[in-house]
């Protein structure tokens, strides 16, 4: 999803003409991004669950003990990944905060404003992530009714409303399958995230 969002964000910056529409290279880019995401994330998810079962930690690297060099290399890659991706996905929030500060406090745009808003936002997100010991369960809970609709069935609903395909055609069936599966994923992940929060609440320790 992240790579797809990033590519679609860039689509507006790619020259597009009727002869060479930008959707062609963007479609290739999105498919490539999904493929790379799949070969990176699915093996970790499947092998991690196969090895540790439901006791696997939110951060699978915590569950590992050896080899130490591989764990250190993986953590370094996570740091590099987060540094880059955080900047990309926080940019809309940075822009919104800066606009709000300019309009409501009349602070002139510039480096001091950017340092204030961006440092405050990063410090706040760091505080939230460190403070709540059930942050992983919370992500699962909010991701259930936030990620699943926007990624699985809302695009299909919008496509059906706009395109109005013939009933029981292949496209109609595929989109309805996506809608049904998406709703099921949303309900299951939301209930599962809430269940994990309740079940693990007795073991939570703040700032440990």
């Amino acid at each position: 999803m992240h790579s797809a969002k990033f590519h679609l964000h860039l689509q507006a910056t790619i020259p597009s003409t009727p002869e060479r529409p930008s959707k062609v290279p963007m479609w290739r880019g999105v498919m490539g991004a999904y493929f790379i995401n799949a070969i990176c994330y699915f093996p970790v998810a499947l092998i991690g669950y196969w090895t540790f079962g439901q006791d696997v930690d939110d951060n699978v690297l915590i569950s590992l003990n050896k080899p130490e060099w591989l764990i250190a290399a993986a953590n370094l890659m996570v740091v590099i990944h987060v540094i880059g991706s955080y900047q990309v996905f926080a940019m809309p929030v940075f822009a919104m905060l800066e606009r709000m500060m300019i309009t409501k406090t009349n602070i002139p745009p510039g480096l001091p404003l950017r340092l204030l808003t961006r440092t405050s936002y990063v410090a706040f997100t760091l505080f939230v992530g460190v403070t709540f010991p059930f942050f992983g369960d919370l992500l699962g809970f909010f991701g259930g009714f936030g990620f699943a609709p926007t990624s699985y069935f809302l695009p299909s609903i919008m496509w059906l409303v706009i395109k109005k395909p013939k009933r029981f055609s292949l496209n109609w069936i595929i989109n309805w399958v996506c809608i049904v599966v998406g709703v099921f994923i949303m309900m299951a992940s939301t209930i599962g995230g809430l269940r994990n929060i309740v079940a693990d609440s007795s073991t939570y320790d703040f700032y440990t």
Side-chain angles (χ1 to χ4, degrees):
M1 182 190 71
H2 294 331
S3 296
K5 286 168 62 180
F6 179 65
H7 279 75
L8 292 173
H9 172 71
L10 292 179
Q11 185 172 4
T13 66
I14 297 179
S16 181
T17 62
E19 294 77 19
R20 300 186 64 180
S22 62
K23 67 179 183 180
V24 175
M26 287 310 306
W27 175 255
R28 295 173 184 168
V30 170
M31 294 303 294
Y34 270 112
F35 176 76
I36 293 173
N37 273 350
I39 62 176
C40 289
Y41 285 105
F42 276 109
V44 174
L46 296 176
I47 295 173
Y49 188 80
W50 178 42
T51 305
F52 300 104
Q54 64 180 9
D55 295 326
V56 65
D57 290 295
D58 297 329
N59 182 357
V60 69
L61 297 176
I62 299 177
S63 302
L64 303 177
N65 296 318
K66 56 183 181 180
E68 295 182 357
W69 67 268
L70 182 60
I71 299 173
N75 278 296
L76 177 62
M77 294 176 187
V78 169
V79 170
I80 296 173
H81 167 72
V82 171
I83 290 175
S85 61
Y86 191 94
Q87 297 300 317
V88 172
F89 294 107
M91 282 298 173
V93 181
F94 292 155
M96 180 190 68
L97 292 175
E98 290 170 11
R99 283 197 304 269
M100 185 173 62
M101 293 291 289
I102 292 171
T103 55
K104 292 189 176 182
T105 63
N106 294 322
I107 298 177
L111 182 59
L113 175 62
R114 289 189 173 187
L115 286 176
L116 174 64
T117 55
R118 300 184 182 204
T119 304
S120 301
Y121 176 76
V122 172
F124 174 73
T125 56
L126 176 63
F127 171 76
V128 172
V130 172
T131 298
F132 295 99
F134 52 90
F135 193 66
D137 296 335
L138 204 61
L139 287 178
F141 174 71
F142 285 113
F145 59 82
F147 168 74
T150 56
S151 298
Y152 288 102
F153 62 87
L154 284 181
S156 295
I157 293 175
M158 290 187 291
W159 190 89
L160 289 173
V161 171
I162 295 172
K163 296 295 185 178
K164 296 180 174 58
K166 184 179 179 181
R167 281 195 171 190
F168 304 109
S169 63
L170 180 61
N171 287 330
W172 187 89
I173 293 173
I174 291 175
N175 279 277
W176 271 106
V177 169
C178 291
I179 293 171
V180 173
V181 173
V183 171
F184 174 77
I185 292 174
M186 179 187 69
M187 295 176 61
S189 56
T190 302
I191 294 172
L194 181 60
R195 181 260 176 200
N196 287 338
I197 294 175
V198 174
D200 298 339
S201 59
S202 60
T203 62
Y204 291 149
D205 290 319
F206 288 89
Y207 299 107
T208 56

